[in-house]
Amino acid sequence: PEEGDLVIYKFHDLDEDGVYDEGEPMLEDWEFTVTVETPPLQIEQVTPSAIMLIGTGLTDGDGMLEFLGLDPGEYTVTETLQDGWVNTTPLTQVATVVDGETAELWFGNIIEEEPPEEGDLVIYKFHDLDEDGVYDEGEPMLEDWEFTVTVETPPLQIEQVTPSAIMLIGTGLTDGDGMLEFLGLDPGEYTVTETLQDGWVNTTPLTQVATVVDGETAELWFGN
């Protein structure tokens, strides 16, 4: 009988170009399913073609999976995508098996990048009418007050440990609602300093520290 072989290769597509390059690692234990479309049966009238399962399997330590001794024809190969990975080649590919030859299909994937951890910081500025250092309902919010946000960077390892540095994140003015936002910050401790205006006295510290956590919004309230 006429027979051919089908070999599936699975690789870590480090440069994400959809093509296997020398040195890119092969991936073990990835599942593939192989099917073939059978011709319609001639029973009274033509019936639709059917999809026949040839088999499933896992790639070996060399990232290879073989299906040997197949009838010539077109075979559909579908990759089972694993969590944490993104395909750089189509998840389903078609191979034409020819008598006495080996058809090859290459499937590439890349590890899905985790979204960066980010949090937000919101500063509120209010007129502390009762001078208790706490915002109370009904106390007016203050517009056009300036704040400066900084963060301490870790020391650099250059020959010897150098002192930490203070990095400026930004400055800004409160809006009509007495609010100033700094969005998409890396988690960490941020120092917020109020620029005191003439004719006002602060009822809360002029400098406060906020701890920003991934996916959350830190708040600081400044009263005058």
Side-chain angles (χ1 to χ4, degrees), residues 129-149:
L129 297 177
D130 58 4
E131 305 179 37
D132 64 351
V134 178
Y135 172 74
D136 302 302
E137 187 175 356
E139 290 183 327
M141 304 304 292
L142 298 176
E143 186 178 5
D144 289 337
W145 280 71
E146 183 183 58
F147 288 88
T148 301
V149 179

Side-chain angles (χ1 to χ4, degrees), residues 198-214:
D198 292 339
W200 290 82
V201 176
N202 54 301
T203 60
T204 56
L206 290 176
T207 296
Q208 299 183 41
V209 175
T211 300
V212 173
V213 178
D214 177 40

Side-chain angles (χ1 to χ4, degrees), residues 10-117:
K10 183 68 189 169
F11 65 99
H12 190 171
D13 190 10
L14 296 177
D15 59 3
E16 305 180 42
D17 65 350
V19 178
Y20 173 74
D21 302 301
E22 186 176 356
E24 289 183 326
M26 305 304 292
L27 299 175
E28 186 178 4
D29 288 337
W30 280 72
E31 183 182 58
F32 289 87
T33 302
V34 179
T35 60
V36 66
E37 186 174 358
T38 61
L41 300 175
Q42 300 292 330
I43 304 176
E44 295 182 1
Q45 56 185 5
V46 175
T47 58
S49 302
I51 303 300
M52 181 173 68
L53 175 67
I54 298 300
T56 61
L58 299 175
T59 53
D60 61 17
D62 296 320
M64 186 171 65
L65 174 61
E66 295 178 312
F67 289 86
L68 308 179
L70 300 176
D71 294 333
E74 290 195 342
Y75 291 81
T76 300
V77 180
T78 303
E79 167 191 333
T80 302
L81 189 61
Q82 295 186 13
D83 291 339
W85 291 80
V86 177
N87 54 300
T88 59
T89 56
L91 291 176
T92 297
Q93 300 183 41
V94 175
T96 300
V97 173
V98 178
D99 178 39
E101 298 183 11
T102 298
E104 296 182 357
L105 289 178
W106 291 76
F107 289 79
N109 287 67
I110 189 71
I111 296 176
E112 184 176 16
E113 292 186 5
E114 293 290 335
E117 292 187 348

